[in-house]
Amino acid sequence: MAIITLTTDFGTADGYVGAMKGVIARIARGRPVVVDLAHDIPPGDIAHAAWVVATATSEFPYGSIHIVVVDPGVGGARREIIVRANGRYYVGPDNGVFAYLAAGEAYAIENERFRAERVSRTFHGRDVFAPAAAAIASGDSPSTAGRKVDLVGRLPWGPREHQVGRIVHIDRFGNLISDLPEQEAGRAVLVAGQVLPLLGTYEEVAPGQLLAYIGSAGTVEIAVRDGRADRRLSLARGELVVPAPVDPAGGPYR
Amino acid sequence: MAIITLTTDFGTADGYVGAMKGVIARIARGRPVVVDLAHDIPPGDIAHAAWVVATATSEFPYGSIHIVVVDPGVGGARREIIVRANGRYYVGPDNGVFAYLAAGEAYAIENERFRAERVSRTFHGRDVFAPAAAAIASGDSPSTAGRKVDLVGRLPWGPREHQVGRIVHIDRFGNLISDLPEQEAGRAVLVAGQVLPLLGTYEEVAPGQLLAYIGSAGTVEIAVRDGRADRRLSLARGELVVPAPVDPAGGPYR
Amino acid sequence: MAIITLTTDFGTADGYVGAMKGVIARIARGRPVVVDLAHDIPPGDIAHAAWVVATATSEFPYGSIHIVVVDPGVGGARREIIVRANGRYYVGPDNGVFAYLAAGEAYAIENERFRAERVSRTFHGRDVFAPAAAAIASGDSPSTAGRKVDLVGRLPWGPREHQVGRIVHIDRFGNLISDLPEQEAGRAVLVAGQVLPLLGTYEEVAPGQLLAYIGSAGTVEIAVRDGRADRRLSLARGELVVPAPVDPAGGPYR
């Protein structure tokens, strides 16, 4: 049985997510299991969606199918695509939502078996992406969806350089999540002019104190114990997080 | 395998949706698939629920079962019903939530096989509607639920007249959605004293500009590119949307 | 087929719930059905989670597995446990989220079959609780997870005394829900200095009026018809709700 996940900015007050589920239930063969990943992506926030998709879908089994509909340019020039990466399938607009995936093959969704008979201008989640995912779940090969294409969607920050990270996500708890991996972080990081040692748990600092640690994605995170780091530091995504210079006296930081 | 969908105003912070899912898992035979449609219907907003249910459920396969619990009058005089319409089953209170469905047959939920043994006064989602849906999923015919009845629930605006539409829904993105169908809309519409041409995509206007177009329900929608039409126009639901008078000089509008 | 439910404070904007679902889909044998109970528990609100879990899970069939991740002390001293109570399994931190369950057996989650190979410090939902639930769903006995332990998690209010209730939950509609059961409540209750008779339905008072009644959990609730009791009374959880003294003249209250 195939697994199809849904990540959208549709929220849970309208019928848009429901319509997509209805399409899949109606047309997919073999009764795929449909899984809600996240529907409260901030409206139009492509970078937020990209991080959520990359970190959550890597836990799913190989062969799983992941629809992403954060698509402020729907009906415009951006292309509708299927990406095969990490042994999984990704379906959505080529606008940057797949920026954090490992390189893979991408196909335009052109073939009529991968699209509704009549495609609206404003709801490709229902009329293109759900049918395309249903086609894959039904056994159609993504390479038959259309031409092989190059991914062109980008985020405001480019691919990462060695030992240079950025805040790439701010989560519900106000934690600032960077893309600086543990292996490059050393023992302390520099962010917004402050040096923060990398600690093990929240409980190593007093309530209300800032701390940095290796988060669940394997990258540096910045938090406030029992508080919100986003309010304390007022940092936007894109801010640099780099290993802190080593104290000449030999300490890891000061 | 039967499909049961859930549309409620219970939100996702309390245990009410969970309790309904528990009841279905416990009593339905044949392991129906339970699907969340929308749980953040604004509390008590019957018209909002009615539009969500009509537009989302039409995508589901025939025979699917749709529970709707937006029920501010729970425990009062409104009747609990099952509606058979469009080849699907609808279960909920007769208070207007089914106002946009095509005419069908309705049955009161009276028979004990369709209700919990003990029915609370305030939670018919758990004690009446979930058991009734589970009964249908288990193979019981809705016509054995109770007396055949007439639907009496209404919305503040009545059934639509030819070439007269109204704003009937405001979605998460602030788009104003009318019930004026494409076939009756002509080339431009008049709303709140403004004439708006019907365009094809958001990208035909500059960011921040108002536009009208045929939305995903096949009806006229009004939006602001990269903005919110609800804030721009301050229109409530119920406002008229009608075809714009044709310019005597021959233009479609001015 | 096993049922696994999820109750968290992760919200529906991040990838945390999705990652847990991915882990279960990847490692559980026998394709358990995964059910969302509630993901918008207020961040870190253990008492809120405890009430939701107790009231919703009691509707599920015996043998169902319920993961609860409201875990502000993650990575700290609180223990990760499996509780067997009411014929069901509960998986989460021992911090009070299981305070309203009937007494049962508890086991520490220590065995490697019940945990991910590498456990992060901050995301035990993904690395401990999802794997433990998947192990149970795959047929492993909870008693093989680790040592039998005593539950130590508590809420700010202790176990209830006879005829003494407290406000224990405030729901989406602003209703104040107590743990005073119907059998101990008499015909009226005293709360915040006011005597409120126990009525049958909202419609027995005028719109905007306060009322008390037996709610869907079988306990006393306080509401405002077409309004919010939490705003009217400004009561916090923990406030007493007790049977009202009987009027000496013989009336149930005055």
Side-chain angles (χ1 to χ4, degrees):
Chain A
M1 260 194 313
I3 293 172
I4 298 175
T5 79
L6 305 178
T7 302
T8 76
D9 62 358
F10 290 156
T12 50
D14 290 311
Y16 302 129
V17 170
M20 291 179 64
K21 293 177 175 177
V23 167
I24 295 168
R26 197 181 70 234
I27 69 177
R29 292 191 296 277
R31 297 205 157 273
V33 175
V34 177
V35 176
D36 293 302
L37 272 208
H39 293 302
D40 285 312
I41 304 289
D45 192 334
I46 292 167
H48 189 109
W51 185 255
V52 165
V53 167
T55 53
T57 63
S58 63
E59 300 294 340
F60 277 83
Y62 294 125
S64 53
I65 303 160
H66 305 283
I67 303 178
V68 186
V69 195
V70 176
D71 194 9
V74 60
R78 98 284 173 275
R79 195 175 257 155
E80 300 112 36
I81 54 170
I82 298 170
V83 181
R84 181 151 48 185
N86 306 317
R88 302 173 183 89
Y89 304 106
Y90 296 85
V91 181
D94 182 10
N95 60 8
V97 294
F98 303 127
Y100 295 122
L101 300 180
E105 296 156 16
Y107 299 91
I109 305 175
E110 299 166 333
N111 185 314
E112 61 182 16
R113 277 181 305 121
F114 288 73
R115 302 171 70 94
E117 235 173 274
R118 192 178 165 193
V119 174
S120 69
R121 293 285 184 94
T122 56
F123 193 6
H124 287 184
R126 180 191 65 187
D127 301 335
V128 179
F129 304 130
I136 301 171
S138 301
D140 286 329
S141 168
S143 63
T144 66
R147 280 166 298 159
K148 196 168 175 177
V149 294
D150 290 322
L151 274 176
V152 299
R154 298 279 178 271
L155 297 181
W157 41 90
R160 210 173 58 75
E161 288 169 47
H162 185 69
Q163 291 200 324
V164 178
R166 290 176 190 277
I167 304 295
V168 291
H169 189 70
I170 300 175
D171 76 5
R172 180 192 206 192
F173 302 99
N175 298 331
L176 304 169
I177 300 171
S178 84
D179 59 357
L180 186 67
E182 181 170 16
Q183 307 88 293
E184 299 177 19
R187 293 155 67 185
V189 293
L190 179 66
V191 56
Q194 294 194 54
V195 173
L196 293 171
L198 286 170
L199 302 179
T201 71
Y202 298 125
E203 299 193 351
E204 292 183 43
V205 299
Q209 295 296 302
L210 263 179
L211 77 157
Y213 54 92
I214 301 301
S216 60
T219 60
V220 172
E221 283 185 33
I222 292 139
V224 167
R225 181 175 172 193
D226 301 335
R228 295 187 64 97
D230 57 344
R231 290 189 191 139
R232 177 71 56 84
L233 293 181
S234 300
L235 290 183
R237 289 178 300 187
E239 288 275 350
L240 290 174
V241 178
V242 297
V246 174
D247 182 329
Y253 59 86
R254 64 204 154 94
Chain B
M1 262 196 310
I3 293 171
I4 298 176
T5 79
L6 304 179
T7 303
T8 75
D9 61 358
F10 290 155
T12 51
D14 289 311
Y16 302 129
V17 170
M20 292 178 63
K21 293 177 176 177
V23 167
I24 295 168
R26 197 180 71 234
I27 70 177
R29 293 192 296 276
R31 297 203 158 275
V33 175
V34 177
V35 177
D36 293 302
L37 272 208
H39 293 302
D40 285 312
I41 304 290
D45 192 334
I46 292 167
H48 190 108
W51 184 257
V52 166
V53 167
T55 53
T57 64
S58 63
E59 300 294 339
F60 277 83
Y62 294 125
S64 53
I65 302 160
H66 305 283
I67 303 179
V68 186
V69 195
V70 176
D71 194 9
V74 60
R78 98 283 173 274
R79 196 175 257 154
E80 300 113 37
I81 55 169
I82 298 170
V83 180
R84 181 151 48 184
N86 305 319
R88 301 172 184 88
Y89 303 106
Y90 295 84
V91 181
D94 182 10
N95 61 7
V97 294
F98 302 127
Y100 295 122
L101 301 180
E105 297 156 18
Y107 299 92
I109 305 174
E110 298 166 333
N111 185 313
E112 61 182 15
R113 277 181 305 120
F114 288 74
R115 302 170 70 95
E117 234 172 275
R118 192 180 163 191
V119 174
S120 68
R121 294 284 184 93
T122 56
F123 193 6
H124 287 183
R126 180 191 66 188
D127 301 334
V128 179
F129 304 129
I136 301 171
S138 301
D140 286 330
S141 167
S143 64
T144 66
R147 281 166 296 161
K148 195 168 176 179
V149 294
D150 291 322
L151 275 175
V152 299
R154 298 278 178 271
L155 297 180
W157 41 90
R160 210 174 58 75
E161 287 169 48
H162 185 68
Q163 290 201 322
V164 179
R166 291 176 190 278
I167 303 295
V168 291
H169 189 70
I170 301 175
D171 75 6
R172 180 189 207 198
F173 303 99
N175 298 331
L176 303 170
I177 301 171
S178 84
D179 59 357
L180 186 67
E182 181 170 15
Q183 307 87 296
E184 299 177 19
R187 293 156 68 185
V189 294
L190 178 67
V191 57
Q194 294 194 53
V195 173
L196 293 171
L198 286 170
L199 302 179
T201 71
Y202 297 126
E203 299 193 350
E204 293 182 44
V205 299
Q209 295 297 303
L210 262 179
L211 77 158
Y213 53 93
I214 301 301
S216 60
T219 60
V220 173
E221 283 185 32
I222 293 140
V224 166
R225 181 175 172 193
D226 301 334
R228 296 188 63 97
D230 58 343
R231 291 191 191 135
R232 176 73 55 85
L233 293 181
S234 300
L235 290 184
R237 288 178 302 187
E239 290 274 350
L240 290 174
V241 177
V242 297
V246 174
D247 183 329
Y253 58 86
R254 63 201 156 97
Chain C
M1 262 196 308
I3 292 171
I4 297 175
T5 78
L6 305 177
T7 302
T8 75
D9 61 358
F10 290 156
T12 50
D14 290 311
Y16 302 130
V17 169
M20 292 178 63
K21 293 177 175 177
V23 167
I24 295 168
R26 196 180 72 235
I27 71 178
R29 293 191 296 275
R31 298 204 158 273
V33 176
V34 176
V35 177
D36 293 302
L37 272 207
H39 293 302
D40 285 312
I41 304 288
D45 193 334
I46 292 167
H48 190 108
W51 184 256
V52 166
V53 167
T55 53
T57 63
S58 63
E59 301 294 339
F60 277 83
Y62 293 125
S64 52
I65 303 160
H66 305 283
I67 303 178
V68 186
V69 195
V70 176
D71 194 10
V74 61
R78 97 285 172 275
R79 195 174 257 153
E80 301 111 36
I81 54 169
I82 298 170
V83 180
R84 180 150 49 184
N86 306 318
R88 302 172 183 90
Y89 304 106
Y90 296 85
V91 181
D94 182 10
N95 61 8
V97 293
F98 303 127
Y100 295 122
L101 301 179
E105 297 156 17
Y107 299 92
I109 304 174
E110 298 166 334
N111 185 314
E112 59 181 17
R113 276 182 304 119
F114 288 74
R115 302 171 70 95
E117 235 172 273
R118 192 178 164 192
V119 173
S120 69
R121 293 285 185 92
T122 55
F123 193 6
H124 287 184
R126 180 191 65 187
D127 301 335
V128 179
F129 304 130
I136 301 171
S138 301
D140 286 330
S141 167
S143 64
T144 67
R147 279 167 299 160
K148 194 168 176 178
V149 295
D150 290 322
L151 275 175
V152 300
R154 298 278 178 272
L155 297 181
W157 41 89
R160 210 173 58 75
E161 288 169 46
H162 185 69
Q163 290 201 322
V164 178
R166 290 176 190 278
I167 303 295
V168 292
H169 189 71
I170 301 174
D171 75 7
R172 180 191 208 196
F173 303 99
N175 297 331
L176 304 169
I177 300 171
S178 83
D179 59 357
L180 186 67
E182 181 170 16
Q183 307 87 294
E184 300 177 19
R187 293 156 67 185
V189 293
L190 179 67
V191 56
Q194 295 195 51
V195 173
L196 294 171
L198 286 170
L199 301 179
T201 70
Y202 298 127
E203 300 195 349
E204 292 183 44
V205 299
Q209 295 297 302
L210 264 179
L211 76 158
Y213 54 93
I214 300 302
S216 60
T219 60
V220 172
E221 283 185 32
I222 293 139
V224 166
R225 181 175 172 192
D226 301 336
R228 295 188 63 98
D230 58 344
R231 291 189 190 140
R232 177 73 55 84
L233 293 180
S234 300
L235 290 184
R237 289 177 301 187
E239 289 273 351
L240 290 174
V241 178
V242 297
V246 174
D247 184 327
Y253 58 86
R254 62 203 159 91

